[in-house]
Amino acid sequence: MDLIVIAIVVVVAIGLVAACILSYASKVFYVPVDERVSKLRAELPGANCGGCGFAGCDDYANALVEDPELSINKCPVGGAAVAAKLGEILGKSAEAGEKQLAVVMCNGTRDAVKPLLAYNDIKTCKAAKNLFGGMNACPFGCLGLGDCEAACDFDAIHICDGVAVVNKDACVACGACAKACPNSLIRISPAKNLVVVKCHNTEKGGVARKECSNACIGCMKCQKVCKFDAITVENNLAYIDPEKCKNCGMCAKECPTGAIHDERKKKAAPKKSPEEIEALKKAAAAKKAAAAAKKEDAPADSTDVKADDTKADSAKEKTPVKEVKVETTVEKAEEKAPETVKEVVDESADIGDENV
C-alpha cells in the first residue's frame, strides 16, 4: 500500500514540475501575435487555392497584417464580400475589384483537330504530353484528359468534345487549372473581355490549318479590321489586348477559321404577352378569311376568257408572220430562177394546145 502511495506522489510531483517549466517557457519564448490575423483567417474561405498569390489563407492573412499596402481584393474565391469584411478588420476601404475568369485558348474539338495516334496509357495530360507531345497533330492544343478538371476545387471546368470548357458562373479565377495544364493553354483574364482568341498554335498558317481546322493561321485580317488597335498578330498568332478591346466583335466576324470567339450574349427578342399573341392570331385568321372570300366572289370564267383572248391574240400575231415568209419565199424563187418559171409556163401552154 505504501508503494502505491509513493508512486502516486512521484507522478503528481513530476506533473507539477513539468507544468511549471512549460509555463515559464511559454512566457520566455512567447511571440506576440496580432489578433487581427486570427480574425482575418476566420473571414477567409479556407480554400487554400493559391489564387491570391500566397501559399494559403493563413499566409495571406499574415501578409495582410505585415504589409499595410497589400490589397484586400486578392481572394478570388471570396470576392467582393470577403474583401469588404477584411477591410472592416483592417480599417481599409474595399476597392472595386475586377472579376477575373479562366480562359482556355483552344477550340480544337474532335472534329477539328487531326488525330496523331491512339493513346491508351495513363489518362492524364502530363503523361500524354511526354509521349510524342500528345496524341493530336497539334502540339499546342488541349489534350482533353482532364488534368485541369481534376485540379479545380469548384467544379468550374470540364472536358467537352475533347476540349476544356470553363463554367463562368462557377469559376473563381484561382488559377489551379492554369497550373495543371502542361501546354499552358489556360490564362486568367478580366471577365469583361468577351472576345477571345481560342488558339495557341504558333506554327505557320498552312501547317496549323492542316493540324486543326479551327487554328489561327496568322492572316492578319483581324488586325486590319480592328478600329481600336486592340489586336496584333505576333509569331503567327493573334493576340487581343484586354485593355484596348471594346468587345465590338469585328475581328471574330472577319476570322476565316473561327479561331476568334465572340462570347457576348445576344439580346433576346422581347416576349409578347398572351393577349398580344391572341390578337396576332385573330388578325392572321381574319386576313386569311378575307382573302378566301375575295377569291370566291371573283367570276370563275374570267380566267378562261382571258386565256382565250390571249390565244387569239397570239394566233393573229403569228399568221401575218407566216404569210410574209411565204411571199418572201416566192419572190426569192422568182428572183433566183426567172428562166425556169418561164419554161414551166411555156410547157403548160404547149400541153394545152396539144389537147385542143
Side-chain angles (χ1 to χ4, degrees):
M1 189 68 179
D2 294 336
L3 294 175
I4 295 174
V5 173
I6 294 172
I8 293 173
V9 171
V10 171
V11 171
V12 171
I14 292 173
L16 291 174
V17 172
C20 293
I21 294 173
L22 292 174
S23 177
Y24 177 75
S26 64
K27 292 181 179 179
V28 172
F29 299 103
Y30 174 74
V31 177
V33 178
D34 196 325
E35 62 177 6
R36 294 179 298 173
V37 174
S38 58
K39 291 182 179 180
L40 293 172
R41 179 61 186 86
E43 297 298 340
L44 290 170
N48 294 319
C49 60
C52 57
F54 295 89
C57 295
D58 291 332
D59 194 16
Y60 182 42
N62 288 319
L64 284 172
V65 174
E66 293 174 0
D67 186 3
E69 301 297 327
L70 185 63
S71 174
I72 59 177
N73 294 314
K74 286 186 173 295
C75 179
V77 180
V82 171
K85 293 178 180 179
L86 298 180
E88 291 178 1
I89 297 172
L90 297 174
K92 294 182 179 180
S93 59
E95 302 173 357
E98 187 176 28
K99 183 175 175 58
Q100 304 282 320
L101 283 176
V103 178
V104 181
M105 296 181 291
C106 180
N107 190 34
T109 58
R110 291 190 179 94
D111 294 334
V113 70
K114 182 180 178 181
L116 183 64
L117 53 87
Y119 181 75
N120 296 316
D121 210 327
I122 304 173
K123 298 299 181 179
T124 64
C125 297
K126 289 182 179 179
K129 181 68 175 177
N130 292 330
L131 182 65
F132 302 107
M135 58 284 203
N136 297 325
C138 178
F140 303 91
C142 180
L143 296 169
L145 294 178
D147 285 17
C148 53
E149 184 176 350
C152 182
D153 294 329
F154 306 96
D155 195 32
I157 188 168
H158 298 279
I159 304 299
C160 300
D161 196 17
V163 182
V165 178
V166 177
N167 182 355
K168 294 183 178 180
D169 296 329
C171 181
V172 298
C174 64
C177 55
K179 295 176 182 177
C181 181
N183 277 344
S184 302
L185 281 175
I186 306 174
R187 70 180 181 189
I188 306 301
S189 63
K192 67 178 182 179
N193 297 114
L194 301 176
V195 181
V196 295
V197 179
K198 293 223 166 181
C199 183
H200 198 54
N201 195 324
T202 57
E203 294 178 320
K204 292 184 178 180
V207 177
R209 191 64 185 273
K210 288 180 180 178
E211 295 172 346
C212 178
S213 60
N214 293 337
C216 176
I217 56 177
C219 62
M220 302 185 71
K221 289 185 177 181
C222 53
Q223 181 175 335
K224 294 176 182 177
V225 78
C226 183
K227 298 179 180 179
F228 307 100
D229 195 27
I231 186 166
T232 55
V233 177
E234 297 178 0
N235 198 18
N236 303 314
L237 183 65
Y239 169 76
I240 298 177
D241 188 344
E243 299 298 329
K244 296 181 180 180
C245 181
K246 305 298 180 183
N247 293 321
C248 67
M250 292 300 296
C251 54
K253 293 179 181 179
E254 193 69 18
C255 181
T257 63
I260 304 177
H261 279 223
D262 186 354
E263 298 181 355
R264 296 176 299 173
K265 292 183 179 179
K266 295 182 179 180
K267 293 183 180 179
K271 295 183 178 180
K272 298 183 182 297
S273 63
E275 293 78 8
E276 292 176 340
I277 295 174
E278 191 64 27
L280 289 173
K281 288 181 178 179
K282 289 181 179 179
K287 187 177 180 181
K288 187 176 181 180
K294 187 177 180 181
K295 187 176 182 181
E296 291 177 358
D297 295 339
D301 298 334
S302 59
T303 306
D304 299 335
V305 173
K306 290 181 179 179
D308 294 338
D309 294 341
T310 306
K311 291 180 181 179
D313 294 339
S314 61
K316 289 180 181 179
E317 292 175 358
K318 290 179 180 180
T319 303
V321 174
K322 288 183 179 180
E323 292 174 357
V324 172
K325 287 182 178 180
V326 171
E327 292 175 359
T328 308
T329 306
V330 174
E331 291 174 358
K332 288 181 178 180
E334 291 178 355
E335 291 176 359
K336 289 182 178 180
E339 297 178 356
T340 308
V341 174
K342 288 180 182 179
E343 291 175 359
V344 173
V345 173
D346 292 342
E347 288 178 0
S348 62
D350 295 339
I351 293 170
D353 293 340
E354 290 177 0
N355 291 332
V356 176

